[in-house]
Amino acid sequence: MHARIDHLVVAAPTLEDGVAWCEATLGVTPGPGGAHALFGTHNRLLRLSSNDHRQAYLEIIAIDPQATPARAAPLRRWFDLDDSTLRDQLDRQGPQLIHWVASVPDIDGACAAWRRLGIDRGPVIEASRPTPEGLLRWRIAVRDDGQRLLHGTLPTLIQWGPVHPADQMPAPVLGLVSLHLQHPQAPLLRAALNAIGLDHVTVETGQPALQVWLTSALGTLLTLSHQEPA
């Protein structure tokens, strides 16, 4: 199993807030994204350059106020977007890095490996969204309760169809340098990442936190971080 960092997830109260945050924080306007009918969300996307994770990108995602999820209640939206605590945090603090997604070549095998560790990543579902180039398809593990698990430090697993969205994005102006994870259950998190071939991601014991280092086109080091109560 050779997983890759697929994308970083920045949640926003509204997509407009997310675009403004990206321009102010990262100095770049994100490219177009699309709508997710299953979950009633929409996004904007930004390609990242990385030697180790060649299709990496940053996703700014928000609940679409004009959409009703096809995934009917009591099933919840992905990435904890229905969680009242997270939504209050976004309303108070604005857009922020909350999660990340790992791309795997065999999502069923990856979920099975995690179940052997006692981790229930959730059922694997089929998802898609229209793009100008055609229908984008993927398989993704999403729990019925929508939880990210381990306070967002454990990645969501995705397996793309024949087309990856990064292939259609404009050339990257930001580079992905590293991803750093921290959690009280660091040994479990480390074992989960090792099981899918992500043994080079930094994991330490401590209060739940994600931290990402990016570089700008001018070589400036940028940091995105997120911390949650244990």
Side-chain angles (χ1 to χ4, degrees), residues 1-72:
M1 188 76 67
H2 296 287
R4 291 177 175 167
I5 297 173
D6 191 74
H7 63 278
L8 311 174
V9 180
V10 172
T14 70
L15 201 53
E16 293 76 16
D17 290 335
V19 172
W21 169 90
C22 190
E23 292 172 339
T25 304
L26 303 178
V28 60
T29 300
H36 313 110
L38 265 180
F39 299 98
T41 57
H42 52 179
N43 65 7
R44 296 281 294 268
L45 308 174
L46 184 67
R47 182 81 183 262
L48 302 173
S49 64
S50 170
N51 292 331
D52 295 327
H53 311 281
R54 58 184 178 83
Q55 293 176 313
Y57 65 98
L58 184 145
E59 174 186 36
I60 299 168
I61 190 167
I63 291 174
D64 184 349
Q66 305 302 319
T68 299
R71 180 177 157 96

Side-chain angles (χ1 to χ4, degrees), residues 127-211:
S128 64
R129 68 172 175 84
T131 75
E133 293 77 25
L135 195 64
L136 187 65
R137 298 180 181 274
W138 66 95
R139 302 178 71 217
I140 187 166
V142 181
R143 291 170 55 94
D144 291 350
D145 58 16
Q147 287 186 16
R148 291 166 289 161
L149 296 184
L150 297 185
H151 302 84
T153 60
L154 184 79
T156 288
L157 299 176
I158 194 169
Q159 181 179 351
W160 289 100
V163 177
H164 192 283
D167 297 336
Q168 310 299 329
M169 296 179 200
V173 296
L174 299 177
L176 173 60
V177 178
S178 64
L179 170 64
H180 180 104
L181 306 173
Q182 187 173 287
H183 198 272
Q185 294 179 272
L188 176 61
L189 179 57
R190 176 76 277 160
L193 297 185
N194 288 347
I196 60 172
L198 274 173
D199 51 1
H200 58 284
V201 174
T202 301
V203 177
E204 294 183 353
T205 302
Q207 187 171 345
L210 298 88
Q211 192 164 28

Side-chain angles (χ1 to χ4, degrees), residues 111-120 188-195:
C111 287
W114 281 8
R115 284 195 296 271
R116 289 192 288 272
L117 295 172
I119 297 170
D120 178 11
L188 176 61
L189 179 57
R190 176 76 277 160
L193 297 185
N194 288 347

